[in-house]
Amino acid sequence: MLKRLPILCFAVFALAACSQGHDSSAAPSATPAPATTATTTPAPAPAAPTTVAGTAAAASASTTAAVPAATGTDAGAGTGSTDAAAFVEDPKWVEGKNYFRIDPAQPKVTNTDKIEVTEVFSYACPSCNNFHPLVNKLATSLPSNAVMAYLPVSFMPQENFPMFQRAYLTAQALGVAEKANDAIYDAVWKSRELSSMRADQQGLKPMSDLPTIEDAAKVYAKFGVDPKEFVAVANSFSINTQVKRSNELVKAYGVEGTPTIVIDGKYRFDGPSAGGYAQMVELAQYLVAKEAAGK
């Protein structure tokens, strides 16, 4: 297991990821997770992921956002169709190599009865930003018996992951998470009003200067949310409870980096294990069909 440094991760090879420090109490998993679990650039083939302390010029890391189990209001249902009887095992995808079984299976992020495809992410993760267009593609390609969900992480406080986790859960509670999704990524990586990087892009801001929940509220205000209400909800007992559950699910799923995809609380994979971003979409579709067929 590579030692992770608590600083911004960036790609050294084709694929990289932001990873939390190794925790021997991490969620149970029948097959050990790879050293890092996140992709950074849409490369067709995986390379050894490396977590490095340094500048953000080549930053490409990822993490993800949590959805409360009781709602799932932002989970996107697929519009395609599926035929369980037509499912055929594909030797291209090998359990223990390309994807990993979560044993025992864990609760879903939402309360859906459909097959749940969850992206574990963070807005502040460069890899998640790079993967974002394909996540949208994945969500719209799911069959009608599957649904997309999102689980935000908090394991890199120096890159402001906890704030973005809380902001996502708050936006979800207020019904604006889905429509503001692209705007939050843009506020971090384009306009940089919510960036964790210094103005010269030569490293991270001091933690005391990182964007706050009040700063995030100003972006969500563009979608009709009162900033004062947003901050009040963000600091409520309900959101504190959802933050706790999100962190518990991340651990239970055995997630070590972002972006990671979890299928129905049973399978976990990332960019390096799948072989790239496009392959993550393909593998997710394969595992959805496998679940639908009861294999």
Side-chain angles (χ1 to χ4, degrees), residues 93 115 117 138 142 261 263 269 278-290:
W93 304 118
I115 298 168
V117 179
L138 172 59
L142 292 176
I261 296 293
I263 307 294
F269 62 88
Q279 289 84 347
M280 287 179 75
V281 173
E282 184 181 347
L283 179 51
Q285 293 166 336
Y286 171 79
L287 290 174
V288 166
K290 181 181 177 74

mmCIF file of all heavy atoms in Angstrom, residues 93 115 117 138 142 261 263 269 278-290:
data_model
loop_
_atom_site.group_PDB
_atom_site.id
_atom_site.type_symbol
_atom_site.label_atom_id
_atom_site.label_comp_id
_atom_site.label_asym_id
_atom_site.label_seq_id
_atom_site.Cartn_x
_atom_site.Cartn_y
_atom_site.Cartn_z
ATOM 1 N N TRP A 93 -13.946 -8.819 -17.861
ATOM 2 C CA TRP A 93 -14.048 -8.251 -16.526
ATOM 3 C C TRP A 93 -13.833 -9.328 -15.481
ATOM 4 O O TRP A 93 -14.594 -10.286 -15.401
ATOM 5 C CB TRP A 93 -15.418 -7.601 -16.333
ATOM 6 C CG TRP A 93 -15.728 -6.556 -17.368
ATOM 7 C CD1 TRP A 93 -16.752 -6.569 -18.274
ATOM 8 C CD2 TRP A 93 -15.020 -5.334 -17.597
ATOM 9 N NE1 TRP A 93 -16.720 -5.447 -19.060
ATOM 10 C CE2 TRP A 93 -15.667 -4.658 -18.666
ATOM 11 C CE3 TRP A 93 -13.901 -4.739 -17.007
ATOM 12 C CZ2 TRP A 93 -15.227 -3.429 -19.145
ATOM 13 C CZ3 TRP A 93 -13.461 -3.521 -17.499
ATOM 14 C CH2 TRP A 93 -14.121 -2.882 -18.543
ATOM 15 N N ILE A 115 -31.504 -1.054 -8.991
ATOM 16 C CA ILE A 115 -30.059 -1.256 -8.893
ATOM 17 C C ILE A 115 -29.407 0.123 -8.798
ATOM 18 O O ILE A 115 -29.663 0.994 -9.631
ATOM 19 C CB ILE A 115 -29.523 -2.021 -10.113
ATOM 20 C CG1 ILE A 115 -30.161 -3.416 -10.186
ATOM 21 C CG2 ILE A 115 -28.002 -2.130 -10.071
ATOM 22 C CD1 ILE A 115 -29.912 -4.136 -11.493
ATOM 23 N N VAL A 117 -26.289 2.712 -8.835
ATOM 24 C CA VAL A 117 -24.936 2.983 -9.312
ATOM 25 C C VAL A 117 -24.480 4.274 -8.640
ATOM 26 O O VAL A 117 -25.031 5.343 -8.910
ATOM 27 C CB VAL A 117 -24.891 3.133 -10.841
ATOM 28 C CG1 VAL A 117 -23.470 3.434 -11.312
ATOM 29 C CG2 VAL A 117 -25.425 1.873 -11.517
ATOM 30 N N LEU A 138 -22.972 8.133 -18.134
ATOM 31 C CA LEU A 138 -23.352 6.890 -17.474
ATOM 32 C C LEU A 138 -24.775 6.973 -16.936
ATOM 33 O O LEU A 138 -25.576 6.046 -17.110
ATOM 34 C CB LEU A 138 -22.379 6.585 -16.334
ATOM 35 C CG LEU A 138 -22.737 5.420 -15.406
ATOM 36 C CD1 LEU A 138 -22.856 4.114 -16.187
ATOM 37 C CD2 LEU A 138 -21.708 5.294 -14.288
ATOM 38 N N LEU A 142 -28.124 4.365 -18.183
ATOM 39 C CA LEU A 142 -28.579 3.259 -17.342
ATOM 40 C C LEU A 142 -29.947 2.744 -17.789
ATOM 41 O O LEU A 142 -30.793 3.522 -18.239
ATOM 42 C CB LEU A 142 -28.663 3.709 -15.884
ATOM 43 C CG LEU A 142 -27.332 4.027 -15.187
ATOM 44 C CD1 LEU A 142 -27.600 4.556 -13.780
ATOM 45 C CD2 LEU A 142 -26.444 2.794 -15.144
ATOM 46 N N ILE A 261 -16.677 3.949 -8.243
ATOM 47 C CA ILE A 261 -18.059 3.560 -8.526
ATOM 48 C C ILE A 261 -18.415 2.352 -7.664
ATOM 49 O O ILE A 261 -17.646 1.391 -7.569
ATOM 50 C CB ILE A 261 -18.259 3.211 -10.018
ATOM 51 C CG1 ILE A 261 -18.013 4.436 -10.898
ATOM 52 C CG2 ILE A 261 -19.665 2.652 -10.257
ATOM 53 C CD1 ILE A 261 -19.030 5.555 -10.734
ATOM 54 N N ILE A 263 -21.602 -0.433 -7.043
ATOM 55 C CA ILE A 263 -22.829 -0.975 -7.611
ATOM 56 C C ILE A 263 -23.628 -1.688 -6.533
ATOM 57 O O ILE A 263 -23.191 -2.712 -5.989
ATOM 58 C CB ILE A 263 -22.536 -1.969 -8.761
ATOM 59 C CG1 ILE A 263 -21.624 -1.335 -9.821
ATOM 60 C CG2 ILE A 263 -23.848 -2.480 -9.375
ATOM 61 C CD1 ILE A 263 -22.258 -0.176 -10.579
ATOM 62 N N PHE A 269 -15.187 -0.360 -7.847
ATOM 63 C CA PHE A 269 -14.059 -0.276 -8.772
ATOM 64 C C PHE A 269 -13.723 1.189 -9.019
ATOM 65 O O PHE A 269 -14.488 2.091 -8.700
ATOM 66 C CB PHE A 269 -14.362 -1.000 -10.093
ATOM 67 C CG PHE A 269 -15.513 -0.427 -10.875
ATOM 68 C CD1 PHE A 269 -15.322 0.591 -11.793
ATOM 69 C CD2 PHE A 269 -16.806 -0.918 -10.694
ATOM 70 C CE1 PHE A 269 -16.385 1.117 -12.519
ATOM 71 C CE2 PHE A 269 -17.879 -0.402 -11.413
ATOM 72 C CZ PHE A 269 -17.664 0.618 -12.325
ATOM 73 N N ALA A 278 -13.500 5.687 -19.649
ATOM 74 C CA ALA A 278 -14.495 5.069 -20.535
ATOM 75 C C ALA A 278 -14.799 3.653 -20.090
ATOM 76 O O ALA A 278 -15.951 3.197 -20.126
ATOM 77 C CB ALA A 278 -13.996 5.091 -21.978
ATOM 78 N N GLN A 279 -13.770 2.936 -19.641
ATOM 79 C CA GLN A 279 -13.953 1.564 -19.179
ATOM 80 C C GLN A 279 -14.764 1.515 -17.884
ATOM 81 O O GLN A 279 -15.463 0.533 -17.623
ATOM 82 C CB GLN A 279 -12.602 0.887 -18.990
ATOM 83 C CG GLN A 279 -11.865 0.582 -20.289
ATOM 84 C CD GLN A 279 -11.061 1.765 -20.825
ATOM 85 O OE1 GLN A 279 -11.226 2.898 -20.374
ATOM 86 N NE2 GLN A 279 -10.203 1.496 -21.788
ATOM 87 N N MET A 280 -14.680 2.574 -17.079
ATOM 88 C CA MET A 280 -15.503 2.634 -15.861
ATOM 89 C C MET A 280 -16.981 2.637 -16.223
ATOM 90 O O MET A 280 -17.798 1.977 -15.580
ATOM 91 C CB MET A 280 -15.158 3.884 -15.049
ATOM 92 C CG MET A 280 -13.822 3.818 -14.338
ATOM 93 S SD MET A 280 -13.440 5.339 -13.412
ATOM 94 C CE MET A 280 -14.557 5.147 -11.995
ATOM 95 N N VAL A 281 -17.329 3.382 -17.258
ATOM 96 C CA VAL A 281 -18.721 3.424 -17.712
ATOM 97 C C VAL A 281 -19.139 2.049 -18.210
ATOM 98 O O VAL A 281 -20.202 1.528 -17.858
ATOM 99 C CB VAL A 281 -18.900 4.479 -18.822
ATOM 100 C CG1 VAL A 281 -20.309 4.398 -19.411
ATOM 101 C CG2 VAL A 281 -18.630 5.880 -18.271
ATOM 102 N N GLU A 282 -18.284 1.427 -19.017
ATOM 103 C CA GLU A 282 -18.594 0.107 -19.576
ATOM 104 C C GLU A 282 -18.736 -0.941 -18.475
ATOM 105 O O GLU A 282 -19.644 -1.777 -18.497
ATOM 106 C CB GLU A 282 -17.486 -0.299 -20.549
ATOM 107 C CG GLU A 282 -17.743 -1.611 -21.265
ATOM 108 C CD GLU A 282 -16.613 -2.001 -22.201
ATOM 109 O OE1 GLU A 282 -15.742 -1.143 -22.480
ATOM 110 O OE2 GLU A 282 -16.599 -3.172 -22.639
ATOM 111 N N LEU A 283 -17.835 -0.892 -17.495
ATOM 112 C CA LEU A 283 -17.881 -1.868 -16.413
ATOM 113 C C LEU A 283 -19.120 -1.672 -15.545
ATOM 114 O O LEU A 283 -19.740 -2.645 -15.104
ATOM 115 C CB LEU A 283 -16.615 -1.760 -15.556
ATOM 116 C CG LEU A 283 -16.492 -2.700 -14.354
ATOM 117 C CD1 LEU A 283 -16.744 -4.154 -14.745
ATOM 118 C CD2 LEU A 283 -15.116 -2.552 -13.700
ATOM 119 N N ALA A 284 -19.491 -0.413 -15.308
ATOM 120 C CA ALA A 284 -20.706 -0.151 -14.534
ATOM 121 C C ALA A 284 -21.922 -0.744 -15.237
ATOM 122 O O ALA A 284 -22.783 -1.376 -14.604
ATOM 123 C CB ALA A 284 -20.891 1.353 -14.337
ATOM 124 N N GLN A 285 -22.007 -0.562 -16.539
ATOM 125 C CA GLN A 285 -23.131 -1.110 -17.297
ATOM 126 C C GLN A 285 -23.140 -2.640 -17.234
ATOM 127 O O GLN A 285 -24.198 -3.257 -17.117
ATOM 128 C CB GLN A 285 -23.042 -0.623 -18.747
ATOM 129 C CG GLN A 285 -23.253 0.888 -18.889
ATOM 130 C CD GLN A 285 -22.843 1.412 -20.257
ATOM 131 O OE1 GLN A 285 -22.026 0.807 -20.957
ATOM 132 N NE2 GLN A 285 -23.409 2.550 -20.646
ATOM 133 N N TYR A 286 -21.957 -3.234 -17.306
ATOM 134 C CA TYR A 286 -21.841 -4.694 -17.225
ATOM 135 C C TYR A 286 -22.325 -5.204 -15.870
ATOM 136 O O TYR A 286 -23.094 -6.176 -15.794
ATOM 137 C CB TYR A 286 -20.389 -5.102 -17.461
ATOM 138 C CG TYR A 286 -20.105 -6.559 -17.204
ATOM 139 C CD1 TYR A 286 -20.449 -7.538 -18.140
ATOM 140 C CD2 TYR A 286 -19.473 -6.973 -16.023
ATOM 141 C CE1 TYR A 286 -20.184 -8.881 -17.902
ATOM 142 C CE2 TYR A 286 -19.206 -8.311 -15.781
ATOM 143 C CZ TYR A 286 -19.563 -9.262 -16.725
ATOM 144 O OH TYR A 286 -19.303 -10.583 -16.484
ATOM 145 N N LEU A 287 -21.911 -4.551 -14.791
ATOM 146 C CA LEU A 287 -22.291 -5.015 -13.453
ATOM 147 C C LEU A 287 -23.771 -4.772 -13.170
ATOM 148 O O LEU A 287 -24.398 -5.531 -12.428
ATOM 149 C CB LEU A 287 -21.418 -4.338 -12.399
ATOM 150 C CG LEU A 287 -19.961 -4.797 -12.382
ATOM 151 C CD1 LEU A 287 -19.130 -3.976 -11.401
ATOM 152 C CD2 LEU A 287 -19.837 -6.289 -12.070
ATOM 153 N N VAL A 288 -24.334 -3.726 -13.767
ATOM 154 C CA VAL A 288 -25.777 -3.510 -13.639
ATOM 155 C C VAL A 288 -26.523 -4.680 -14.292
ATOM 156 O O VAL A 288 -27.481 -5.233 -13.739
ATOM 157 C CB VAL A 288 -26.199 -2.175 -14.277
ATOM 158 C CG1 VAL A 288 -27.726 -2.115 -14.445
ATOM 159 C CG2 VAL A 288 -25.727 -1.011 -13.399
ATOM 160 N N ALA A 289 -26.075 -5.072 -15.483
ATOM 161 C CA ALA A 289 -26.705 -6.204 -16.171
ATOM 162 C C ALA A 289 -26.511 -7.497 -15.381
ATOM 163 O O ALA A 289 -27.426 -8.335 -15.303
ATOM 164 C CB ALA A 289 -26.102 -6.356 -17.575
ATOM 165 N N LYS A 290 -25.362 -7.655 -14.771
ATOM 166 C CA LYS A 290 -25.086 -8.839 -13.950
ATOM 167 C C LYS A 290 -26.029 -8.898 -12.756
ATOM 168 O O LYS A 290 -26.583 -9.954 -12.429
ATOM 169 C CB LYS A 290 -23.627 -8.778 -13.494
ATOM 170 C CG LYS A 290 -23.151 -9.965 -12.636
ATOM 171 C CD LYS A 290 -21.682 -9.750 -12.232
ATOM 172 C CE LYS A 290 -21.187 -10.857 -11.316
ATOM 173 N NZ LYS A 290 -20.968 -12.109 -12.083
#
